[in-house]
Amino acid sequence: MRVIGQDEVRERLTYEVAIPIVRAAMIALSAGETRQHLRSIIPLAEGRLFGIMPGALGERAAFGAKLISIFPENFAKGAPSHQGVVVLFDPETGAPICIAHAGEVTAIRTAAASAVATDALARPEATRLAILGYGEQAQTHLRALRHVRPIDHVTVWGRSPERAAAFAARMAAETGLSVEPSADVERAVAAADIICTVSGSEEPILKGAWVAPGTHLNLVGSSRPGPVEVDEDLVAACRFIADSREGVLAQGAEFLKAKASGRIGDDHVVGEIGQVLSGAIPGRQSQGQITAYKSLGHIVQDLASVQALCR
């Protein structure tokens, strides 16, 4: 059985590799070619979580599961908050053939999925990016989105101004871009064409009143019912696209909160990103429309990524 560690995942699962893999996986998901269950999440002490995500790339294709722990306090210690394994099984023999570092796969494929959605939904001339959060997903999203839009300016906000400033300095040095920390969210998003929420906030940090017409949003930080990053006004104002409609209707916190308030119904989820990519439904319908991609992350993205690494 092959074991693929963090360093090998980081070296080989580049965004040039990951973006087309995730794109194909999301088209297959929306076409009903893949199989998966909603993730199961077991709450642990002190806000920690253990998640289990099973699925298959098709009836006669590779299958497997991701087992992952989420320990939010690890970030302050310089360690990954997401840790675990993706296990891939052979469809011919049923034997496990590969184990890969789930934390690194998750970091890369999540950002790659947002890049796919951004390419499909953001205005072609979008160049200004706002990132709300400064953790691992903040840096992977900045790296990934540069592959689909000519980003030339980035603003970043986080609860700790010192950490936001450190993130900005580090990513400016890495990318050569103008990366500026912002004192507050409203200023961070004021001129943004693309906004990525990757904060993991329990309460809304982004309000609809602050988002300009024509903006594209990647809503990433919350992956379960409960924590929300954006307010109900913003959800209601968006053309709302899911990675998985079933997943968002059951576990998409921002959508569920807006629905509970009576602002929207299930039909507000107009479709899945895979349907946009295949041409089954339209994406952006006008220059001034606000589009939102709600990312929960799905096992088919992980399995497709690991399958490519195992070859």
Side-chain angles (χ1 to χ4, degrees):
M1 181 164 46
R2 178 92 180 275
V3 177
I4 302 178
Q6 183 176 21
D7 291 343
E8 184 178 353
V9 173
R10 186 182 298 120
E11 178 182 348
R12 295 181 54 212
L13 192 62
T14 64
Y15 293 107
E16 292 87 350
V17 171
I19 288 171
I21 287 173
V22 170
R23 185 181 191 277
M26 299 314 289
I27 292 173
L29 173 68
S30 294
E33 298 171 8
T34 62
R35 303 288 183 270
Q36 66 178 44
H37 289 308
L38 293 176
R39 78 188 70 208
S40 297
I41 300 174
I42 298 175
L44 305 173
E46 300 170 337
R48 299 165 177 171
L49 303 169
F50 177 55
I52 306 165
M53 300 167 64
L57 296 176
E59 291 184 350
R60 297 184 178 277
F63 60 93
K66 178 163 74 173
L67 309 176
I68 194 158
S69 67
I70 303 172
F71 278 45
E73 72 273 18
N74 283 2
F75 176 69
K77 303 173 184 176
S81 59
H82 290 61
Q83 300 187 86
V85 294
V86 179
V87 184
L88 192 71
F89 289 75
D90 188 320
E92 300 300 323
T93 67
I97 55 173
C98 185
I99 294 177
H101 189 285
E104 196 65 26
V105 171
T106 300
I108 294 168
R109 64 81 159 149
T110 303
S114 290
V116 168
T118 299
D119 196 28
L121 298 173
R123 290 178 290 115
E125 67 274 19
T127 61
R128 298 179 67 88
L129 171 64
I131 301 175
L132 307 183
Y134 43 59
E136 185 173 38
Q137 280 298 331
Q139 65 184 6
T140 56
H141 273 70
L142 175 49
R143 292 167 182 160
L145 265 60
R146 297 183 70 202
H147 289 268
V148 298
R149 286 296 184 274
I151 303 299
D152 61 19
H153 183 78
V154 183
T155 55
V156 59
W157 171 88
R159 295 190 186 280
S160 165
E162 294 77 17
R163 288 180 177 173
F167 173 89
R170 184 172 70 252
M171 296 309 294
E174 175 185 318
T175 64
L177 297 176
S178 171
V179 184
E180 297 181 2
S182 178
D184 59 64
V185 174
E186 185 174 4
R187 280 187 235 178
V189 304
D193 303 309
I194 302 164
I195 302 171
C196 296
T197 63
V198 291
S199 69
S201 177
E202 294 286 329
E203 298 294 335
I205 55 173
L206 179 61
K207 296 183 179 182
W210 301 339
V211 176
T215 303
H216 171 66
L217 310 167
N218 296 307
L219 309 179
V220 180
S222 173
S223 60
R224 60 187 173 90
V228 296
E229 295 187 292
V230 305
D231 70 5
E232 297 160 20
D233 290 342
L234 184 51
V235 173
C238 292
R239 180 165 175 80
F240 202 87
I241 307 290
D243 56 1
S244 161
R245 179 180 173 83
E246 179 189 17
V248 168
L249 293 181
Q251 298 179 331
E254 294 90 355
F255 166 81
L256 292 172
K257 186 173 182 181
K259 179 183 174 182
S261 74
R263 297 288 302 277
I264 61 172
D266 287 354
D267 60 351
H268 192 66
V269 181
V270 298
E272 298 177 341
I273 193 63
Q275 294 174 291
V276 176
L277 297 169
S278 70
I281 65 170
R284 172 174 295 277
Q285 296 172 307
S286 70
Q287 283 289 95
Q289 187 173 54
I290 298 173
T291 55
Y293 165 65
K294 176 54 190 173
S295 171
L296 290 172
H298 289 279
I299 185 60
V300 296
Q301 299 168 341
D302 301 294
L303 295 178
S305 298
V306 173
Q307 180 176 246
L309 295 174
C310 284
R311 287 175 180 155

